[in-house]
Amino acid sequence: MTNSREWTFPASFGQERIWLSNQLDPASPVYNLPCGIRQDLPMTEDQWRKALTGLVRRHESLRTSFRVVDGVLTQVVHEHVPVAPVVHDLRALPADQARQRADELAADLGRTPIPLDAPPLWRALLCRLADDGWELTFVVHHAVFDAGSMLVFRSDLDEFCAAVVEGREPRLPELSIQYPDFSAWQRGQLDTPAIAEQLAYWRARLAGVAPVHALPTDRPRPAELSFAGDQVDFRLPEGLLDRVGALGREQSATPFMVLLAGYVALLARLSDVDDVVVGVPVAGRDLPELAPLIGMFVNQLAIRVDCAGDPAFTELVGRVRTAVLDAIEHSQVPFQAVAQALALERDPGVQALYQIGFNFIPHTGIEDVRYTTSKDDLAIDLTAWNGRLLYRTDLFDRATGEALVDRYFRVLQAGIAEPSTALSRLPLLSDAERAQVLDEWSGAVIAAPRETVHGLIEQQVRRTPDAVAVDFGERLTYAELNARANRVAHGLRTRGAGAGTLVGVAMPNSADLVVTLLGVLKSGAAYVPLDPDLPAKRRALVVEDAGISLVLDGSSTWDDQPTGDPEPLAGPQDVAYVIYTSGSTGRPKGVQVEHAAVACYLSWARDTYPGLAGKALLHTSASFDLTVTTLFGPLVAGGSIVDDKAGRPEFVKATPTHLAVLADERYPSVDLVLGGEALAGEVVQPWRAKFPGTAVTNEYGPTEATVGCVAHRIAPGDELPAGPVRIGKPVAGARVYVLDAHGRPVPPGGTGQLHVAGPQLARGYLGRPELTEERFLPCPFGAPGERMYATGDVARWRRDGTLDYLGRADDQVKLRGYRIELGEVEAAMRELPGVQAAAVAVHRTELGDNLVGYLVGESAGVAEALRQTLPEYMVPTAFVIMDALPVAASGKLDRAALPAPQPAHEELYVAPRTAAEELVAEVFAELLGVDKIGVHDDFFALGGNSLLAIRAMARIRKQVEVEIPVRGLFAFTTVAGLAEEIERRLAADLDQLSDEEVERMLAEPEDNA
């Protein structure tokens, strides 16, 4: 007992978890629990106060606040707390207005944050609607209250009200224990063998769990967690619970398990994953002594369900049943202890272990007070008759929440009606949505053009023979370009070139390159670009794989050949070019693209990009299919292909990475087209500010779908927020479908693999019929015999019919616009002497993305050896030596467990440089038991946890007397980061001091001397 009026006890684990979470946003009312009670007894205000006072005296939790003492969170029980409900007499208002006003007052109270350090941790509002009609709104912090407490509160309050009105003592049994007794008992249990065994279960059960769910969000996740939220209210379909109960009895499962199985099925389908984790609460009142208490007893369980193998709904119910029963059997371990035992990487923008919740409270009911916060990214609460979906407004739109509710009941009712239905066949889409994604949004059906690439260019030659076609210092008109290309074509035919043959072209960007490529096409052959900057071994590998017998490097002369157009040999269905991309088997693969596909794309580009009729800057290699737009687009639009000395261009196509090195004078005046890798709004926004008259297009397309098959145009003046930029809608020559792993369309908002159909599809892979058959599939949504290409890219439909690119479904990556199969790099590494095992991953830093190689064996000379066979962009920039590569439970490489590369040892440690850094390092070292801590060391990486974080911040606050919240250590986890935040807050505090206060502070050392 610290004094005669208060007592301190250790906080329970549940209180500690809620307190820590609350510190991330202390001004949020997210943990407010509203409880509404209507009382028809003829009571006065004074009688209400007496009844509430009796209830508060009975339950110590209602007289509790929290305080950090020596770095330890304690609950403080006060002998007395003020009981002063705010009273509003609304009897003078008409009934409907009184009802509306009471609801407004209750909602305002529910949205008012409750500080945890100032008792009481509840607020009370009394509205009198009639002489004998009172409504109490009791809003209490979750740290001292839970759903079970609500039942106790109502029951006890009814008795206290009746006792006050009848002038008697309340007929309630004496409580044998209070909440602090439970807290002490709980902490004593943590070191017992039984709890240790349960903790071992959770370590194994949640090993390798994804740090965040895969459900697509409407907006990027913010850097710091926010609890701003909203709710979607709904009623359960008539008779649903009866059907749920019937299926449950057949499967020996509770209604909760069946309802949760429907939720898991929905999440698995929308996220396109087999591993689903949902957080569910358990009452935590297993002991009879706890039943009559008010307090925070709820424990959270992370229910992990394996959805692999496309189980029938009945089997999924069985898997959920097993997962729930196992979790309940091990539910005595506090959630906080589980999270600490797993030592998960802390992210202030992500809740640990799970972010999606589910709760079934059939008899408690849902409060009338509307929530404007959400503790989870997404959570469903169900009762026997209604429910609500809570969601974070930072992440989701209301329309998304409403659609999720509709899909939940569609999936659940289908599973109940036909329990043998496989997970993949449970319907997500309504008939209207199916028509929308398959017909309205997918793109128009058009016939393949009957044109060749050189045929389109010859048409432009006849229209504008004297216009400049190429300007690389040397200018060529369309007529001159055509004549020189004709000489090349005639010469190639004398060397055996024609339809069905391949000609290698190893030339830098120049007028001669444009002439040569056009000449190859006119000869009837297809060209294979060979970047002169590639390693000789790499070029030789491509030449061998393609069976090329003729390679042009610019040394050939064709002056003795005729200048007239040669007789056409190639038709629209002949191959125009073969571009090699990285291959997962360890060797590159050649994509064969036909004339009709290229002509289809060029026709669309000519109509879409007016800048192609001007100067188009050629600055990327012809071996990169993104360059096709600049090589041929201007020549079918009447424009000219130029180098960087020809003045400001009208058209530029580049990757977002290339944009960073694009000089101002090279920025286009009409069209900037970005492709090859994901685009973020913040990357292009500075350029738009400088050149507001330029249109920007985000163009998506794999080589197999001919340059670009989906595009999103941002016109001058259009808003472009930060974050991922959508890829837009299908171009005229493509149809696109977002399909799940079983080839079924997913609804708007759901994730799936992007598939492309239409006349822009490539023929397939050169000499790789098995791979062609694997990736170019029969299209079930088109005409008989039509194909579609499985891109391997994960995408989703937005509600406006545009597409978002979300990443890859395999190990392929895009780096600075280049397509890289990690397997090819790994295969090259494994072939080196001294390398026993190898893996490659992309490491993301503030400075950009880089390839990192992981080796078991010797690393000396690895990079140089790889440069002999791989392009520079495929050579890892750093290597990590490991004793063994991490392996997931499936036996496969666990890429997520590959460590970030560390600098050399002498660069690893940087001593504290400022007083703030010295203070933070000293506190970290003492609490973590580490002798030497540098400014870049991470608190949590060194073994810190939430409890130690509380102690660290308490000690730092005591030393510097600056108000910095506990969440500061979750946002600034390194010594340098936290020290900088401390210095910023100190500076802000000093700025608020008057000149006299500063002078007085400066004089204090002299006075003390």
Side-chain angles (χ1 to χ4, degrees):
M1 189 169 71
T2 59
N3 57 50
S4 60
R5 301 194 62 189
E6 64 181 37
W7 298 260
T8 60
F9 305 91
S12 70
F13 287 105
Q15 290 176 329
E16 186 179 277
R17 173 174 59 83
I18 291 174
W19 185 89
L20 280 168
S21 183
N22 198 89
Q23 297 308 297
L24 298 177
D25 191 1
S28 170
V30 65
Y31 285 105
N32 285 8
L33 297 180
C35 179
I37 293 178
R38 182 175 180 88
Q39 183 59 265
D40 294 327
L41 293 173
M43 297 178 64
T44 65
E45 292 180 28
D46 185 57
Q47 287 175 320
W48 266 108
R49 276 190 289 271
K50 288 180 180 178
L52 286 171
T53 299
L55 183 62
V56 170
R57 286 176 179 166
R58 177 173 173 81
H59 295 283
E60 290 184 0
S61 290
L62 299 181
R63 292 181 276 119
T64 294
S65 64
F66 293 90
R67 184 181 302 154
V68 176
V69 179
D70 295 330
V72 176
L73 181 67
T74 62
Q75 54 180 320
V76 182
V77 178
H78 302 264
E79 184 179 10
H80 301 291
V81 295
V83 179
V86 177
V87 180
H88 289 270
D89 192 339
L90 305 178
R91 287 177 292 177
L93 295 176
D96 57 340
Q97 294 182 25
R99 175 73 275 151
Q100 180 180 350
R101 180 58 179 154
D103 291 343
E104 290 171 352
L105 291 168
D108 288 344
L109 187 64
R111 288 191 290 263
T112 304
I114 299 176
L116 287 172
D117 58 354
L121 305 190
W122 52 265
R123 305 289 183 265
L125 167 72
L126 278 170
C127 288
R128 192 167 193 176
L129 303 176
D131 290 344
D132 57 352
W134 290 87
E135 282 192 3
L136 170 69
T137 299
F138 190 81
V139 179
V140 56
H141 201 284
H142 195 17
V144 295
F145 206 84
D146 59 15
S149 300
M150 200 170 295
L151 298 175
V152 176
F153 178 86
R154 286 175 171 166
S155 174
D156 284 6
L157 182 62
D158 282 346
E159 175 57 24
F160 274 105
C161 287
V164 168
V165 170
E166 297 170 13
R168 59 173 174 80
E169 290 297 315
R171 303 184 185 111
L172 292 171
E174 185 177 348
L175 297 176
S176 60
I177 63 171
Q178 289 283 347
Y179 187 84
D181 301 312
F182 161 77
S183 302
W185 172 84
Q186 184 191 49
R187 289 200 170 268
Q189 292 292 303
L190 195 61
D191 295 329
T192 63
I195 296 298
E197 181 181 342
Q198 292 194 19
L199 201 53
Y201 162 83
W202 286 111
R203 285 197 191 96
R205 181 64 182 166
L206 299 177
V209 69
V212 64
H213 64 80
L215 191 69
T217 59
D218 294 315
R219 283 169 291 283
R221 184 176 295 276
E224 292 192 13
L225 193 66
S226 168
F227 296 117
D230 198 359
Q231 70 182 54
V232 175
D233 298 303
F234 54 85
R235 294 196 66 81
L236 269 62
E238 189 71 28
L240 175 65
L241 274 192
D242 293 336
R243 298 191 294 276
V244 165
L247 178 62
R249 286 189 292 273
E250 293 174 7
Q251 303 299 318
S252 300
T254 65
F256 168 79
M257 295 170 183
V258 177
L259 293 167
L260 179 57
Y263 195 46
V264 168
L266 174 71
L267 296 173
R269 291 287 305 281
L270 289 179
S271 305
D272 200 21
V273 298
D274 292 332
D275 189 8
V276 175
V277 179
V278 179
V280 302
V282 289
R285 294 172 181 260
D286 302 334
L287 302 175
E289 296 89 345
L290 306 181
L293 296 185
I294 286 176
M296 170 49 203
F297 297 97
V298 169
N299 194 20
Q300 299 292 328
L301 303 179
I303 306 297
R304 188 177 190 180
V305 182
D306 178 12
C307 301
D310 198 20
F313 188 68
T314 48
E315 184 180 347
L316 183 62
V317 170
R319 294 184 188 185
V320 169
R321 176 182 179 275
T322 299
V324 169
L325 291 176
D326 286 350
I328 291 175
E329 186 178 344
H330 300 88
S331 63
Q332 284 71 42
V333 182
F335 179 87
Q336 187 76 358
V338 174
Q340 290 176 6
L342 289 170
L344 300 173
E345 184 176 344
R346 295 319 199 265
D347 184 340
V350 179
Q351 179 176 283
L353 290 184
Y354 72 86
Q355 303 84 40
I356 296 178
F358 184 83
N359 195 14
F360 180 48
I361 40 178
H363 307 301
T364 304
I366 292 175
E367 313 85 11
D368 293 333
V369 177
R370 187 178 187 82
Y371 276 75
T372 58
T373 59
S374 179
K375 295 184 285 293
D376 302 310
D377 288 359
L378 200 72
I380 280 186
D381 293 335
L382 294 177
T383 73
W385 59 91
N386 69 344
R388 67 183 172 204
L389 179 136
L390 297 166
Y391 63 94
R392 283 206 172 104
T393 51
D394 282 348
L395 300 178
F396 297 103
D397 294 329
R398 182 170 185 82
T400 300
E402 292 171 342
L404 283 167
V405 172
D406 290 342
R407 299 193 207 294
Y408 172 58
F409 287 122
R410 186 174 296 122
V411 165
L412 178 62
Q413 293 187 102
I416 294 170
E418 294 289 343
S420 62
T421 303
L423 172 62
S424 65
R425 293 186 174 275
L426 294 172
L428 288 175
L429 294 91
S430 65
D431 292 342
E433 287 175 327
R434 183 177 176 84
Q436 195 174 51
V437 298
L438 291 182
D439 301 326
E440 181 182 341
W441 292 351
S442 62
V445 177
I446 66 170
R450 295 185 169 185
E451 301 280 1
T452 60
V453 176
H454 53 281
L456 288 175
I457 296 173
E458 288 170 351
Q459 294 173 22
Q460 188 61 43
V461 170
R462 291 190 287 272
R463 286 192 293 267
T464 57
D466 299 324
V468 175
V470 180
D471 184 359
F472 276 75
E474 174 191 10
R475 287 190 172 188
L476 296 177
T477 66
Y478 274 83
E480 292 168 337
L481 169 65
N482 193 54
R484 286 179 56 173
N486 286 339
R487 286 195 177 106
V488 174
H490 287 295
L492 287 174
R493 286 189 179 180
T494 66
R495 300 188 187 185
T501 61
L502 300 177
V503 176
V505 179
M507 299 170 63
N509 288 344
S510 61
D512 283 344
L513 172 69
V514 180
V515 169
T516 301
L517 293 180
L518 182 55
V520 173
L521 295 177
K522 281 172 168 280
S523 76
Y527 70 84
V528 181
L530 303 168
D531 191 337
D533 292 332
L534 286 178
K537 288 185 178 180
R538 179 76 171 190
R539 293 200 305 272
L541 180 63
V542 171
V543 169
E544 179 186 1
D545 186 83
I548 297 172
S549 58
L550 177 59
V551 176
L552 304 179
D553 60 5
S555 61
S556 302
T557 59
W558 316 95
D559 294 343
D560 59 341
Q561 297 297 322
T563 59
D565 288 336
E567 189 69 23
L569 293 182
Q573 304 311 313
D574 286 305
V575 175
Y577 59 76
V578 177
I579 286 183
Y580 272 77
T581 66
S582 181
S584 59
T585 61
R587 66 186 180 103
K589 56 185 183 290
V591 182
Q592 306 175 89
V593 182
E594 298 175 353
H595 278 271
V598 186
C600 191
Y601 169 76
L602 291 175
S603 298
W604 170 83
R606 177 186 58 200
D607 297 339
T608 304
Y609 302 135
L612 285 173
K615 296 189 295 291
L617 176 64
L618 179 62
H619 66 110
T620 51
S621 168
S623 63
F624 187 17
D625 87 318
L626 174 146
T627 312
V628 169
T629 313
T630 308
L631 278 171
F632 301 121
L635 301 183
V636 302
S640 55
I641 306 168
V642 303
D643 64 9
D644 59 5
K645 300 179 181 63
R648 183 181 300 283
E650 280 74 35
F651 179 92
V652 170
K653 189 171 186 181
T655 68
T657 301
H658 289 157
L659 188 62
V661 296
L662 189 67
D664 283 5
E665 58 270 22
R666 301 292 169 255
Y667 196 84
S669 59
V670 179
D671 279 304
L672 173 66
V673 181
L674 298 171
E677 60 187 349
L679 174 64
E682 57 268 27
V683 170
V684 74
Q685 197 55 40
W687 291 98
R688 295 189 77 215
K690 286 184 183 179
F691 306 99
T694 302
V696 177
T697 300
N698 187 23
E699 188 181 286
Y700 163 88
T703 305
E704 292 85 345
T706 311
V707 188
C709 57
V710 178
H712 176 59
R713 186 172 176 83
I714 304 132
D718 284 357
E719 182 182 359
L720 181 63
V725 178
R726 67 191 70 183
I727 57 175
K729 297 183 177 183
V731 305
R735 298 198 317 282
V736 296
Y737 306 100
V738 182
L739 308 178
D740 65 18
H742 300 274
R744 296 185 178 86
V746 300
T751 60
Q753 185 178 171
L754 189 61
H755 292 68
V756 184
Q760 276 191 207
L761 280 199
R763 176 183 291 182
Y765 300 109
L766 180 63
R768 308 278 289 276
E770 299 85 0
L771 183 60
T772 299
E773 185 177 354
E774 176 187 329
R775 301 305 296 271
F776 290 83
L777 309 170
C779 179
F781 314 111
E786 189 172 6
R787 303 175 305 151
M788 63 181 183
Y789 171 64
T791 66
D793 290 327
V794 180
R796 67 162 177 186
W797 288 111
R798 300 170 67 97
R799 288 190 302 276
D800 61 1
T802 59
L803 286 162
D804 281 334
Y805 169 81
L806 301 176
R808 289 291 299 176
D810 55 21
D811 293 332
Q812 186 188 104
V813 299
K814 282 282 190 81
L815 207 59
R816 292 178 284 280
Y818 295 104
R819 197 161 112 179
I820 302 172
E821 293 279 3
L822 299 181
E824 182 176 359
V825 185
E826 291 167 350
M829 291 170 63
R830 285 193 292 267
E831 290 178 1
L832 299 178
V835 176
Q836 302 165 27
V840 179
V842 175
H843 177 57
R844 290 179 166 79
T845 69
E846 295 179 358
L847 301 178
D849 296 348
N850 293 290
L851 279 186
V852 177
Y854 297 85
L855 299 172
V856 177
E858 297 294 328
S859 65
V862 168
E864 192 57 39
L866 290 175
R867 288 189 178 95
Q868 303 302 310
T869 58
L870 296 178
E872 185 64 33
Y873 64 83
M874 292 178 68
V875 178
T877 58
F879 294 91
V880 178
I881 307 300
M882 305 184 72
D883 295 331
L885 298 178
V887 178
S890 63
K892 297 180 179 180
L893 173 69
D894 186 357
R895 292 189 190 277
L898 292 169
Q902 297 293 332
H905 180 72
E906 60 270 16
E907 299 173 354
L908 192 61
Y909 174 78
V910 177
R913 300 154 297 191
T914 66
E917 288 180 349
E918 288 177 355
L919 169 63
V920 174
E922 180 183 338
V923 171
F924 281 13
E926 183 179 347
L927 289 174
L928 299 174
V930 178
D931 294 334
K932 188 178 180 182
I933 290 184
V935 298
H936 300 306
D937 286 331
D938 185 284
F939 179 79
F940 294 104
L942 292 174
N945 56 39
S946 301
L947 281 175
L948 292 174
I950 299 175
R951 297 179 183 178
M953 297 312 296
R955 294 191 186 186
I956 289 171
R957 280 198 297 260
K958 186 176 181 180
Q959 289 286 333
V960 297
E961 295 183 356
V962 63
E963 186 55 41
I964 182 168
V966 170
R967 72 176 185 276
L969 189 44
F970 290 90
F972 308 99
T973 59
T974 65
V975 170
L978 185 56
E980 184 179 349
E981 176 66 6
I982 291 170
E983 290 169 343
R984 186 189 68 79
R985 288 176 176 265
L986 280 171
D989 289 348
L990 288 173
D991 288 342
Q992 296 176 6
L993 296 177
S994 65
D995 292 342
E996 292 78 8
E997 289 173 317
V998 173
E999 290 178 5
R1000 187 164 58 251
M1001 291 177 65
L1002 292 174
E1004 284 178 359
E1006 297 179 7
D1007 295 341
N1008 294 333

